[in-house]
Amino acid sequence: RLESQGPLDAPLTLLTAAQAAAGEQQAMFWIGLFFGVIVIMLLYNGVILLMVRDRAYAYYLAYVFSFAALQGLLFGLGFRYLWPQSVTLNNTLTMLAPAIVFATAIVFVIRFVDLRTHGTRLEIFSARLLLAACGGLLVSALTLPYAFTLNGYKIMMLLSVIMGFYLGVKYWRKGLKSARI
């Protein structure tokens, strides 16, 4: 019997031990490749940060690192290698990490398009509201049922992507070079 308040990935396949080991090895190769790319991105942007001393790159590094941490949690790497005896810690971190990813992404976009200088009052208010929602999601991840927080993350993802896309297109059309990126 399987039960979950949220998404559940439970593929049922009969495999030999050799097939299971080969599948595990292939999965670990792709996970290793993913994290290799993440490390390269962190190093590259870290060097750029040291050269140009623009806080936007620090926020981007925080975003990439938090995204990588979330993926590591979702891949089960933390539970497998760092805290195999603590299901509670793993579940708690898995619910906290998305709020941190959203917050770092929002702060990065605010800084990268220099929203405080170029943004309208509504855009600045909306960005601050999204950041406040990240704080609310952190609290809800610790206090409310999993399904409620998961639905909050879905809404947050939709609103954050729409806001980021809107700001990027708007300020790109206005000629702001950083918005093209």
Side-chain angles (χ1 to χ4, degrees), residues 49-104:
L49 171 64
L50 292 174
M51 291 172 57
V52 299
R53 305 238 191 264
D54 183 348
R55 252 189 292 163
Y57 287 97
Y59 296 141
Y60 182 70
L61 287 171
Y63 166 69
V64 172
F65 183 81
S66 65
F67 178 78
L70 173 61
Q71 293 307 310
L73 287 164
L74 295 176
F75 289 146
L77 300 178
F79 185 70
R80 183 175 191 170
Y81 296 113
L82 300 175
W83 48 83
Q85 304 303 320
S86 183
V87 174
T88 302
L89 176 62
N90 193 70
N91 290 344
T92 301
L93 290 175
T94 300
M95 288 307 295
L96 293 174
I100 297 168
V101 172
F102 288 134
T104 56

Coordinates of all heavy atoms in Angstrom, one line a residue, residues 49-104:
L49 N 31.6 37.4 -10.4 CA 31.3 38.2 -9.2 C 32.6 38.8 -8.6 O 32.6 40.0 -8.3 CB 30.7 37.3 -8.1 CG 30.5 37.9 -6.7 CD1 29.5 39.1 -6.8 CD2 30.0 36.9 -5.7
L50 N 33.7 38.1 -8.6 CA 34.9 38.7 -8.1 C 35.5 39.8 -9.0 O 36.1 40.7 -8.5 CB 36.0 37.6 -7.9 CG 35.7 36.6 -6.8 CD1 36.7 35.4 -6.8 CD2 35.7 37.2 -5.4
M51 N 35.2 39.6 -10.3 CA 35.7 40.6 -11.2 C 34.9 41.9 -11.3 O 35.4 43.0 -11.3 CB 35.8 40.0 -12.6 CG 36.9 38.9 -12.7 SD 36.9 38.0 -14.3 CE 37.1 39.3 -15.4
V52 N 33.6 41.7 -11.3 CA 32.7 42.9 -11.5 C 32.1 43.4 -10.2 O 31.6 44.6 -10.2 CB 31.6 42.6 -12.5 CG1 32.1 42.3 -13.9 CG2 30.6 41.6 -12.0
R53 N 32.2 42.7 -9.1 CA 31.7 43.1 -7.8 C 30.2 43.6 -7.9 O 29.9 44.5 -7.2 CB 32.6 44.1 -7.2 CG 34.0 43.7 -7.1 CD 34.5 43.7 -5.7 NE 35.9 43.6 -5.6 CZ 36.5 42.4 -5.3 NH1 35.8 41.3 -5.2 NH2 37.8 42.3 -5.2
D54 N 29.4 42.9 -8.7 CA 28.0 43.3 -8.8 C 27.2 42.3 -7.9 O 27.3 41.1 -8.2 CB 27.5 43.2 -10.2 CG 26.1 43.7 -10.4 OD1 25.3 43.8 -9.4 OD2 25.7 43.9 -11.6
R55 N 26.4 42.8 -7.0 CA 25.7 41.9 -6.1 C 24.7 41.0 -6.8 O 24.3 39.9 -6.3 CB 24.9 42.7 -5.1 CG 25.5 42.6 -3.7 CD 24.6 43.3 -2.7 NE 24.6 44.7 -2.8 CZ 23.8 45.5 -2.3 NH1 22.8 45.0 -1.6 NH2 23.8 46.8 -2.5
A56 N 24.3 41.3 -8.0 CA 23.4 40.5 -8.8 C 24.0 39.1 -9.0 O 23.3 38.1 -8.9 CB 23.1 41.1 -10.1
Y57 N 25.3 39.0 -9.2 CA 26.0 37.7 -9.3 C 26.0 36.9 -8.0 O 25.9 35.7 -8.0 CB 27.4 37.9 -9.9 CG 27.3 38.3 -11.3 CD1 27.4 39.6 -11.7 CD2 27.1 37.3 -12.3 CE1 27.4 40.0 -13.1 CE2 27.1 37.7 -13.7 CZ 27.2 39.0 -14.0 OH 27.1 39.4 -15.3
A58 N 26.1 37.6 -6.9 CA 26.0 36.9 -5.6 C 24.6 36.3 -5.4 O 24.4 35.2 -5.0 CB 26.3 37.9 -4.5
Y59 N 23.6 37.1 -5.8 CA 22.2 36.6 -5.7 C 22.0 35.4 -6.7 O 21.3 34.4 -6.4 CB 21.2 37.7 -6.0 CG 21.2 38.8 -5.0 CD1 21.0 40.1 -5.4 CD2 21.4 38.5 -3.6 CE1 21.1 41.1 -4.5 CE2 21.4 39.6 -2.7 CZ 21.2 40.9 -3.1 OH 21.3 41.9 -2.2
Y60 N 22.6 35.5 -7.9 CA 22.5 34.4 -8.8 C 23.2 33.2 -8.3 O 22.6 32.0 -8.4 CB 23.1 34.8 -10.2 CG 23.0 33.7 -11.2 CD1 21.7 33.4 -11.7 CD2 24.1 33.0 -11.6 CE1 21.6 32.4 -12.7 CE2 23.9 32.0 -12.6 CZ 22.7 31.7 -13.1 OH 22.6 30.7 -14.0
L61 N 24.3 33.3 -7.7 CA 25.0 32.2 -7.1 C 24.2 31.5 -6.0 O 24.1 30.3 -5.9 CB 26.4 32.6 -6.5 CG 27.5 32.9 -7.5 CD1 28.7 33.5 -6.8 CD2 27.9 31.7 -8.3
A62 N 23.5 32.4 -5.2 CA 22.7 31.9 -4.1 C 21.5 31.1 -4.7 O 21.1 30.0 -4.2 CB 22.1 33.0 -3.2
Y63 N 21.0 31.6 -5.8 CA 19.9 30.9 -6.5 C 20.3 29.6 -7.1 O 19.7 28.5 -6.8 CB 19.3 31.8 -7.6 CG 18.4 31.0 -8.6 CD1 17.2 30.5 -8.2 CD2 18.9 30.7 -9.9 CE1 16.4 29.8 -9.0 CE2 18.1 30.0 -10.7 CZ 16.9 29.5 -10.3 OH 16.1 28.8 -11.2
V64 N 21.4 29.5 -7.8 CA 21.9 28.3 -8.4 C 22.2 27.3 -7.3 O 21.9 26.1 -7.4 CB 23.2 28.5 -9.3 CG1 23.8 27.2 -9.7 CG2 22.7 29.4 -10.5
F65 N 22.9 27.7 -6.2 CA 23.2 26.8 -5.1 C 21.9 26.3 -4.4 O 21.8 25.1 -4.2 CB 24.1 27.5 -4.1 CG 24.5 26.6 -2.9 CD1 25.6 25.8 -3.1 CD2 23.8 26.6 -1.7 CE1 26.0 24.9 -2.1 CE2 24.2 25.7 -0.7 CZ 25.3 24.9 -0.9
S66 N 21.0 27.1 -4.2 CA 19.7 26.7 -3.5 C 19.0 25.7 -4.5 O 18.4 24.7 -4.0 CB 18.9 27.8 -3.1 OG 18.4 28.6 -4.2
F67 N 19.0 26.0 -5.7 CA 18.3 25.1 -6.7 C 19.0 23.8 -6.7 O 18.3 22.7 -6.7 CB 18.4 25.8 -8.1 CG 17.8 24.9 -9.2 CD1 16.4 24.8 -9.3 CD2 18.6 24.2 -10.0 CE1 15.8 23.9 -10.3 CE2 18.0 23.3 -11.0 CZ 16.6 23.2 -11.1
A68 N 20.3 23.8 -6.7 CA 21.1 22.5 -6.7 C 20.8 21.7 -5.4 O 20.7 20.5 -5.4 CB 22.6 22.8 -6.8
A69 N 20.7 22.4 -4.3 CA 20.4 21.8 -3.0 C 19.0 21.2 -3.1 O 18.8 20.0 -2.6 CB 20.5 22.8 -1.9
L70 N 18.1 21.9 -3.6 CA 16.7 21.3 -3.8 C 16.7 20.1 -4.6 O 16.1 19.0 -4.3 CB 15.8 22.4 -4.3 CG 14.3 21.8 -4.7 CD1 13.6 21.3 -3.4 CD2 13.5 22.9 -5.4
Q71 N 17.4 20.1 -5.7 CA 17.5 19.0 -6.6 C 18.2 17.8 -5.9 O 17.8 16.6 -6.1 CB 18.2 19.3 -7.9 CG 17.5 20.3 -8.8 CD 16.1 19.8 -9.1 OE1 15.8 18.7 -9.5 NE2 15.1 20.7 -8.9
G72 N 19.2 18.1 -5.1 CA 19.9 17.0 -4.4 C 18.9 16.4 -3.4 O 18.9 15.1 -3.2
L73 N 18.1 17.2 -2.8 CA 17.0 16.6 -1.9 C 16.0 15.8 -2.6 O 15.7 14.7 -2.2 CB 16.3 17.8 -1.1 CG 17.1 18.5 -0.1 CD1 16.4 19.8 0.3 CD2 17.2 17.6 1.2
L74 N 15.6 16.3 -3.8 CA 14.6 15.6 -4.6 C 15.2 14.3 -5.1 O 14.4 13.3 -5.3 CB 14.0 16.5 -5.7 CG 13.2 17.7 -5.2 CD1 12.8 18.5 -6.3 CD2 12.0 17.2 -4.3
F75 N 16.5 14.3 -5.5 CA 17.1 13.1 -6.0 C 17.4 12.1 -4.8 O 17.7 10.9 -5.0 CB 18.5 13.4 -6.6 CG 18.4 14.1 -7.9 CD1 19.4 15.0 -8.3 CD2 17.4 13.8 -8.9 CE1 19.3 15.6 -9.5 CE2 17.4 14.4 -10.1 CZ 18.3 15.3 -10.4
G76 N 17.2 12.5 -3.6 CA 17.4 11.7 -2.4 C 18.8 11.6 -1.9 O 19.2 10.7 -1.1
L77 N 19.7 12.5 -2.4 CA 21.1 12.4 -2.1 C 21.4 12.7 -0.6 O 22.2 12.1 0.0 CB 21.9 13.3 -3.0 CG 21.8 12.9 -4.5 CD1 22.6 13.9 -5.3 CD2 22.2 11.5 -4.8
G78 N 20.7 13.7 -0.1 CA 20.9 14.1 1.3 C 20.5 12.9 2.2 O 21.3 12.6 3.1
F79 N 19.4 12.4 2.0 CA 18.9 11.2 2.8 C 19.8 10.0 2.6 O 20.1 9.3 3.6 CB 17.5 10.9 2.4 CG 16.9 9.8 3.3 CD1 16.6 10.1 4.6 CD2 16.6 8.5 2.8 CE1 16.0 9.1 5.4 CE2 16.1 7.6 3.6 CZ 15.8 7.8 4.9
R80 N 20.3 9.8 1.4 CA 21.1 8.7 1.2 C 22.5 8.8 1.8 O 23.1 7.8 2.3 CB 21.3 8.5 -0.3 CG 22.1 7.3 -0.7 CD 22.0 7.1 -2.2 NE 22.6 5.8 -2.6 CZ 22.5 5.3 -3.8 NH1 21.9 6.0 -4.7 NH2 23.0 4.1 -4.1
Y81 N 23.1 10.0 1.7 CA 24.5 10.1 2.1 C 24.8 10.9 3.4 O 25.8 10.8 4.0 CB 25.3 10.8 1.0 CG 25.4 9.9 -0.3 CD1 24.8 10.3 -1.4 CD2 26.1 8.7 -0.3 CE1 24.8 9.6 -2.6 CE2 26.1 7.9 -1.4 CZ 25.5 8.3 -2.6 OH 25.5 7.6 -3.7
L82 N 23.9 11.9 3.7 CA 24.2 12.8 4.8 C 23.3 12.5 6.1 O 23.9 12.6 7.2 CB 23.9 14.2 4.4 CG 24.8 14.7 3.2 CD1 24.4 16.1 2.8 CD2 26.3 14.6 3.6
W83 N 22.1 12.2 6.0 CA 21.2 12.0 7.1 C 20.3 10.8 6.9 O 19.1 10.9 7.0 CB 20.4 13.2 7.5 CG 19.7 13.9 6.4 CD1 18.5 13.5 5.8 CD2 20.1 15.0 5.6 NE1 18.2 14.3 4.8 CE2 19.2 15.2 4.6 CE3 21.3 15.8 5.6 CZ2 19.3 16.2 3.7 CZ3 21.4 16.8 4.7 CH2 20.4 17.0 3.7
P84 N 20.9 9.6 6.7 CA 20.0 8.4 6.3 C 19.1 8.0 7.5 O 18.2 7.2 7.2 CB 21.1 7.3 6.0 CG 22.3 7.8 6.7 CD 22.3 9.3 6.7
Q85 N 19.4 8.4 8.7 CA 18.5 8.0 9.8 C 17.4 9.0 10.1 O 16.7 8.7 11.1 CB 19.4 7.8 11.1 CG 20.6 6.8 10.9 CD 20.1 5.4 10.4 OE1 19.1 4.9 10.9 NE2 20.8 4.8 9.5
S86 N 17.4 10.1 9.4 CA 16.4 11.1 9.8 C 15.4 11.4 8.6 O 15.6 12.3 7.8 CB 17.1 12.4 10.2 OG 16.2 13.3 10.6
V87 N 14.3 10.7 8.6 CA 13.3 11.0 7.6 C 12.7 12.3 7.9 O 12.4 13.1 6.9 CB 12.2 9.9 7.7 CG1 11.0 10.2 6.8 CG2 12.8 8.5 7.3
T88 N 12.5 12.7 9.1 CA 11.9 14.0 9.5 C 12.7 15.1 9.0 O 12.2 16.1 8.4 CB 11.7 14.1 11.0 OG1 10.9 13.0 11.5 CG2 11.1 15.4 11.4
L89 N 14.1 15.1 9.2 CA 14.9 16.1 8.6 C 14.8 16.2 7.1 O 14.7 17.3 6.6 CB 16.4 15.9 9.1 CG 17.4 16.9 8.5 CD1 17.1 18.3 9.0 CD2 18.8 16.5 8.9
N90 N 14.9 15.1 6.5 CA 14.8 15.1 5.0 C 13.5 15.7 4.5 O 13.5 16.5 3.6 CB 14.9 13.6 4.5 CG 15.1 13.6 3.0 OD1 16.2 14.0 2.5 ND2 14.1 13.2 2.3
N91 N 12.4 15.3 5.1 CA 11.1 15.8 4.7 C 11.0 17.3 5.0 O 10.4 18.1 4.2 CB 9.9 15.1 5.4 CG 9.8 13.7 4.9 OD1 10.3 13.3 3.9 ND2 9.1 12.9 5.7
T92 N 11.5 17.8 6.1 CA 11.4 19.2 6.5 C 12.3 20.0 5.5 O 11.8 21.0 5.0 CB 11.9 19.4 7.9 OG1 11.1 18.6 8.8 CG2 11.9 20.9 8.3
L93 N 13.5 19.6 5.2 CA 14.3 20.3 4.3 C 13.7 20.3 2.9 O 13.8 21.3 2.2 CB 15.7 19.7 4.2 CG 16.6 19.9 5.5 CD1 17.9 19.2 5.4 CD2 16.8 21.4 5.8
T94 N 13.1 19.2 2.5 CA 12.5 19.2 1.2 C 11.3 20.1 1.0 O 11.1 20.7 0.0 CB 12.0 17.7 0.9 OG1 13.1 16.8 0.9 CG2 11.4 17.6 -0.5
M95 N 10.7 20.4 2.1 CA 9.6 21.4 2.1 C 10.1 22.8 2.3 O 9.4 23.8 1.8 CB 8.5 21.1 3.2 CG 7.7 19.8 2.9 SD 6.9 19.9 1.2 CE 5.8 21.2 1.4
L96 N 11.2 23.0 2.9 CA 11.7 24.4 3.1 C 12.5 24.9 1.9 O 12.4 26.1 1.5 CB 12.7 24.4 4.3 CG 12.0 24.2 5.7 CD1 13.1 24.2 6.8 CD2 11.0 25.3 6.0
A97 N 13.2 24.0 1.2 CA 14.1 24.4 0.1 C 13.4 25.2 -1.0 O 13.9 26.1 -1.5 CB 14.8 23.2 -0.4
P98 N 12.2 24.8 -1.5 CA 11.6 25.5 -2.6 C 11.4 27.0 -2.3 O 11.5 27.9 -3.1 CB 10.2 24.8 -2.8 CG 10.5 23.4 -2.3 CD 11.4 23.6 -1.2
A99 N 11.0 27.3 -1.0 CA 10.8 28.7 -0.6 C 12.1 29.5 -0.8 O 12.1 30.7 -1.2 CB 10.2 28.8 0.8
I100 N 13.2 28.9 -0.4 CA 14.5 29.5 -0.5 C 14.9 29.7 -2.0 O 15.4 30.7 -2.4 CB 15.6 28.7 0.3 CG1 15.2 28.7 1.8 CG2 17.0 29.3 0.0 CD1 16.0 27.7 2.6
V101 N 14.6 28.7 -2.8 CA 14.8 28.8 -4.3 C 14.0 30.0 -4.8 O 14.6 30.8 -5.6 CB 14.5 27.5 -5.0 CG1 14.6 27.7 -6.5 CG2 15.4 26.4 -4.6
F102 N 12.8 30.1 -4.5 CA 11.9 31.2 -5.0 C 12.5 32.5 -4.5 O 12.6 33.5 -5.3 CB 10.5 31.0 -4.6 CG 9.7 29.9 -5.3 CD1 8.9 29.0 -4.5 CD2 9.8 29.8 -6.6 CE1 8.3 28.0 -5.2 CE2 9.1 28.7 -7.3 CZ 8.3 27.9 -6.5
A103 N 12.8 32.6 -3.2 CA 13.3 33.9 -2.7 C 14.5 34.3 -3.4 O 14.7 35.5 -3.7 CB 13.5 33.8 -1.2
T104 N 15.5 33.4 -3.5 CA 16.8 33.8 -4.2 C 16.5 34.2 -5.6 O 17.2 35.2 -6.1 CB 17.8 32.7 -4.1 OG1 17.3 31.5 -4.6 CG2 18.2 32.5 -2.6

